[in-house]
Amino acid sequence: MSKIFVQREKEFGYEIFCENLKQMQLYDSLKTAGCIIIKPNLTGGSYTKEEAGAITPKKILVKLISSLNEIVPNVTIYIMESDSNNYDYAYQKFEFQEYNDIVKSFPTVQLYDATRSPQTTIEFNGLYFKKAIRIAEIFKGDYFFISLAKAKTHNKTVFTGVLKNQFGCLSSMEKKTYHTKIGQVISDVNQLIKPNLSILEMCPAMEGNGPLKGDKLNLELILMSDNPVAVDYLVAKRVGLLKYGIGYLDLCRKRLEPVYGNEEPRIFNDKLLDTIPQFKYIGMDKRFFIKAGLLLQGIADNLRRVSMKIQKLGE
């Protein structure tokens, strides 16, 4: 049975972290891992300050690293990020968020640019990636992967949590090309890259026009789980976003059922969830324009592919 632990941000630290790991039976696998990969949410991180509520707060990341260092003091910890849209480069995110200060404080920590690191191509028969998928080479090794995600609304996917956070593991510099099939892409990535530990923080969360321009909600809660599907579904349901239709969440629940099962998770400290309000979302007008824009983008992408095939006939 999957487990979900709910706690206040001020209580998030070494002792509770260790206890939760042991109850999820993850402590031993963490102790024996070749390295640890942490994927925070740094969307817009090269120009967005954490006070806006769109990205992972550095204090949460530092608390996590401190706890990990207590458990495995000599294991390398990689903070991973890749490029996003609109020239939001990984190395600029690290610089703007002053992540080098974290590296200086923790000798075992390294920054990992998933776009410019060595790459590998893996045979993969998915919904979007039909033959192969190209990812950072580190995912072929022995690692313990922690997805450190933020609970937010998203104007294209409705909700972004742990499963959507893995989208940032893709190495592509132009992720907007995936937007017309975003549900399939997220589902494929989570088939390939499964977090050992999922952490979903609301310190703060974001409602409205997320993932960058929404309004922050200072809920100060952190959820930990061994099941990214269960924790995302729980939060999306509690904040009232399921009614808008979260395509990738439905796909992941179906495709990952052989991995995580379909039992209801055991929730610890679930009364803390009663403090979470219903999230506001964008209005019908904005949803219409976004869907129309994605439809036109899909048509344009198909025309481009057809035009390239026609050109090759003349070469």
Side-chain angles (χ1 to χ4, degrees):
M1 176 185 292
S2 299
K3 296 179 175 66
I4 299 175
F5 298 86
V6 188
Q7 61 199 78
R8 295 182 178 88
E9 185 273 326
K10 62 183 180 181
E11 298 167 347
F12 183 62
Y14 171 70
E15 291 185 3
I16 290 180
F17 183 73
C18 284
E19 181 60 30
N20 292 351
L21 285 177
K22 289 174 181 177
Q23 290 203 48
M24 289 184 284
Q25 298 183 345
L26 295 175
Y27 189 83
D28 290 341
S29 56
L30 174 63
K31 290 276 289 185
T32 58
C35 69
I36 299 169
I37 304 170
I38 303 174
K39 171 63 181 71
N41 186 317
L42 288 178
T43 301
S46 63
Y47 53 87
T48 301
K49 293 185 177 181
E50 68 175 55
E51 292 79 19
I55 63 175
T56 300
K58 196 156 63 170
K59 65 178 181 179
I60 303 294
L61 180 58
V62 169
K63 281 188 176 184
L64 175 59
I65 293 172
S66 296
S67 297
L68 291 169
N69 258 356
E70 289 284 335
I71 301 169
V72 282
N74 298 314
V75 174
T76 302
I77 300 172
Y78 295 100
I79 303 174
M80 170 180 285
E81 185 56 29
S82 66
D83 292 357
S84 304
N85 300 317
N86 303 321
Y87 310 103
D88 192 21
Y89 300 130
Y91 61 89
Q92 290 180 330
K93 299 178 192 182
F94 291 145
E95 181 179 356
F96 188 77
Q97 301 303 326
E98 299 180 343
Y99 271 29
N100 279 323
D101 291 346
I102 300 177
V103 175
K104 291 175 183 177
S105 300
F106 299 95
T108 59
V109 172
Q110 296 183 28
L111 304 179
Y112 192 94
D113 186 333
T115 299
R116 289 160 193 83
S117 64
Q119 304 290 302
T120 185
T121 300
I122 297 176
E123 290 185 8
F124 185 81
N125 183 20
L127 297 178
Y128 182 89
F129 299 98
K130 302 292 186 181
K131 297 180 180 179
I133 186 169
R134 189 168 176 79
I135 59 173
E137 197 173 70
I138 195 172
F139 284 116
K140 288 189 71 176
D142 173 25
Y143 60 85
F144 187 96
F145 179 45
I146 301 175
S147 186
L148 178 57
K150 177 174 286 294
K152 299 187 290 184
T153 52
H154 194 291
N155 54 30
K156 293 181 179 66
T157 65
V158 180
F159 175 74
T160 174
V162 178
L163 294 166
K164 175 67 170 59
N165 198 38
Q166 273 71 267
F167 183 70
C169 293
L170 291 169
S171 303
S172 172
M173 297 175 67
E174 287 294 328
K175 292 186 175 62
K176 62 184 176 183
T177 59
Y178 298 136
H179 282 168
T180 58
K181 301 289 184 181
I182 189 70
Q184 294 181 1
V185 174
I186 294 173
S187 175
D188 280 355
V189 173
N190 279 278
Q191 283 280 312
L192 185 66
I193 303 172
K194 300 176 181 67
N196 301 89
L197 176 62
S198 299
I199 302 177
L200 185 58
E201 55 91 1
M202 305 180 188
C203 310
M206 178 176 281
E207 65 176 355
N209 192 16
L212 288 171
K213 299 179 181 179
D215 301 313
K216 64 181 182 179
L217 291 168
N218 292 309
L219 303 177
E220 303 304 322
L221 293 179
I222 296 176
L223 286 76
M224 291 177 59
S225 181
D226 52 0
N227 184 337
V229 180
V231 73
D232 273 6
Y233 185 80
L234 171 67
V235 173
K237 183 178 181 180
R238 287 290 182 126
V239 302
L241 292 176
L242 290 182
K243 62 186 176 184
Y244 298 105
I246 307 175
Y248 76 82
L249 183 52
D250 294 333
L251 276 176
C252 287
R253 289 186 79 193
K254 181 179 180 180
R255 295 183 71 196
L256 293 173
E257 185 176 311
V259 179
Y260 299 110
N262 58 8
E263 286 185 276
E264 287 294 316
R266 183 180 177 187
I267 306 171
F268 296 78
N269 300 325
D270 59 323
K271 288 190 178 298
L272 290 175
L273 296 175
D274 295 339
T275 64
I276 302 177
Q278 300 282 287
F279 282 15
K280 297 175 183 177
Y281 190 46
I282 56 175
M284 285 288 294
D285 54 344
K286 289 185 178 181
R287 297 206 298 274
F288 170 78
F289 284 118
I290 287 172
K291 288 182 178 179
L294 290 173
L295 177 62
L296 291 174
Q297 181 185 338
I299 293 172
D301 289 344
N302 288 331
L303 287 174
R304 180 180 58 82
R305 283 191 286 268
V306 171
S307 68
M308 295 300 294
K309 289 181 180 179
I310 293 174
Q311 290 179 52
K312 285 185 177 180
L313 293 176
E315 293 177 355

